[in-house]
Amino acid sequence: MVATSHPQATLAALDVLRAGGNAIDAAVCAAAVQAVVEPTQTGIGGDCFALFMREGEATPTALNGSGWAPEAANLDWYLDRRMAEIEVESPHSVTVPGALAAWEKLVLDHGRLPWGRVLTPAIEAAEEGSCLPERLARDWGKQVGKLTRNPAAARLFLFDGEAPRAGIIHRQPALAQTLREIAVAGAKAFYTGHLAEKLVATLRERGGLHRLEDFADFGPEYVTAISTNYRGYDLWECPPNGQGVVPMLMAKALEGFDLSNWQSVSVERFHVMAEIARQAYAERDLFVADPRTGKVPVDWLLSDAHIRHLRRNVSLTGRILNLETVLQRPHRDTVFISVVDRDRMAVSLINSVFEDFGSGIACEKTGVLFHNRASSFVLEAGHPNCIAGRKRPMHTIIPAMLTRNGQAVMPFGVTGAHFQPFGQVQILTNIVDYGMSVQGAIDHPRMFARDDTFEIERSVPEEVMLGLGKLGHRVTRPENPLGTAQAIWIDRKLGVLRGGADGRRDGIALGY
């Protein structure tokens, strides 16, 4: 079974499984197709993280495919130019894209099919074009200003200066040629040689500090997955520099509350989850960074003593006041892929360009659009997430895996950047505490609280909104739904897979 946010990606991945590929091959194939057909969300100019688990293995394997800042990027350079933050549409917001190197490593180390076969559907989608669904066209239309400010991107993604309408076929011949070269020569064609020269030249022409060596020296990294138990299930995440510790903090703290005593859509449940989340996000902003440049206190954050402290701060009569956080940029643009193959290998993979169309900077000759992940760095001396050369920023994209008794139960994930930890915990508690099906857990009304922000979807009743307001929360209803989600539940008793995919962004889960 495959669950993605785009039918074309799901169908391509299913074809890979039918052709003898495994879940790794299918997940990478889906990610590559989505990098073509959902350019607002993802691309080969972005980053990737993955968790996967074979049948018989007791723990998942984690791969960190997030890129690093140029070696010349140091704090003094930015402070000397009086920069208070890294602008999201500047070349300084671009770290070396890690996705392609991560995809190739996954396929070569753990896949069954040739690398070129896995990329073929993406090449065809770029060459022949893909049809824009309504939601994608709507989101595309909101980024005309960003694309217009970047002439190369405008030529690649606008039609006579306007966003394509739903139903339009969008072709990307330059990207198709780039993918063909990578399919033949491997990911090194992206990080060295003439493609890398074009990519680096594009960034340097705009004032970037990137050099060919920054691309050539980059490689993804296998890391040790981290976990916590929630009511008999183990929740697995990638370790920092990702924010996977946040849903683990939330889950462990929420275990001290009997959520099932409250309705799934209720003032009490939403308030308690919000108060735990606000504390967890505040600690993320203080501590989560690249562990290669300093220790991230994961063990302390998840310690029983610290979790008890978080719980004690929660009052059922009002919100926590004076909660200090480091404000992070809002963004919601990522794709998540869940795959389980016939041998019960489970894969949880996530790919992103950060904001809509990333930095907006495109290399027209290659068709590559760059993400803007480096805008998450902090320009503050002494902060764990302060920018430095060859350092990876705090990352929001987090794949998740749920296991029980040493067996994979559900590879799952949520898109929506900062929302992702909250969204993961909502799905987890919807299933474990409220007994919902996978699809029911995904379709359930969502809410999101961080710092002084409290958002609830339009499907949440007005009385819940008013009740939260009485507890001191400033509640708003966003225009768009909060994130999206995909998941596959492995029902071992019945020997079946139960998929769930988010229809809010054309998601589809299919098995055979």
Side-chain angles (χ1 to χ4, degrees), residues 311-328:
R311 289 176 187 151
R312 282 196 299 266
N313 289 336
V314 177
S315 167
L316 295 180
T317 61
R319 68 192 290 273
I320 300 169
L321 302 177
N322 303 318
L323 189 69
E324 294 186 4
T325 64
V326 177
L327 294 179
Q328 295 285 342

Side-chain angles (χ1 to χ4, degrees), residues 278-412:
R278 292 175 64 223
Q279 296 179 80
Y281 280 103
E283 296 194 332
R284 178 202 71 173
D285 295 341
L286 289 173
F287 297 113
V288 174
D290 190 341
R292 300 176 308 158
T293 63
K295 181 175 175 58
V296 181
V298 172
D299 290 341
W300 172 78
L301 288 168
L302 296 173
S303 67
D304 290 340
H306 184 59
I307 294 298
R308 284 194 296 270
H309 172 73
L310 298 184
R311 289 176 187 151
R312 282 196 299 266
N313 289 336
V314 177
S315 167
L316 295 180
T317 61
R319 68 192 290 273
I320 300 169
L321 302 177
N322 303 318
L323 189 69
E324 294 186 4
T325 64
V326 177
L327 294 179
Q328 295 285 342
R329 297 183 182 278
H331 54 278
R332 304 183 180 280
D333 301 299
T334 302
V335 296
F336 174 79
I337 297 157
S338 181
V339 182
V340 178
D341 65 24
R342 61 172 62 89
D343 298 319
R344 296 301 183 265
M345 175 192 272
V347 176
S348 179
L349 184 147
I350 198 161
N351 218 91
S352 175
V353 291
F354 204 37
E355 295 189 339
D356 278 302
F357 286 110
S359 64
I361 299 171
C363 174
E364 191 169 6
K365 294 178 181 178
T366 64
V368 174
L369 179 84
F370 293 103
H371 65 172
N372 54 355
R373 186 60 63 176
S375 62
S376 287
F377 278 123
V378 174
L379 299 183
E380 177 187 328
H383 193 286
N385 193 34
C386 180
I387 194 167
R390 300 290 173 94
K391 184 175 180 178
R392 301 172 301 194
M394 189 282 289
H395 235 283
T396 57
I397 59 175
I398 48 172
M401 183 81 69
L402 198 66
T403 69
R404 192 169 197 178
N405 299 324
Q407 293 182 309
V409 171
M410 183 173 68
F412 74 110

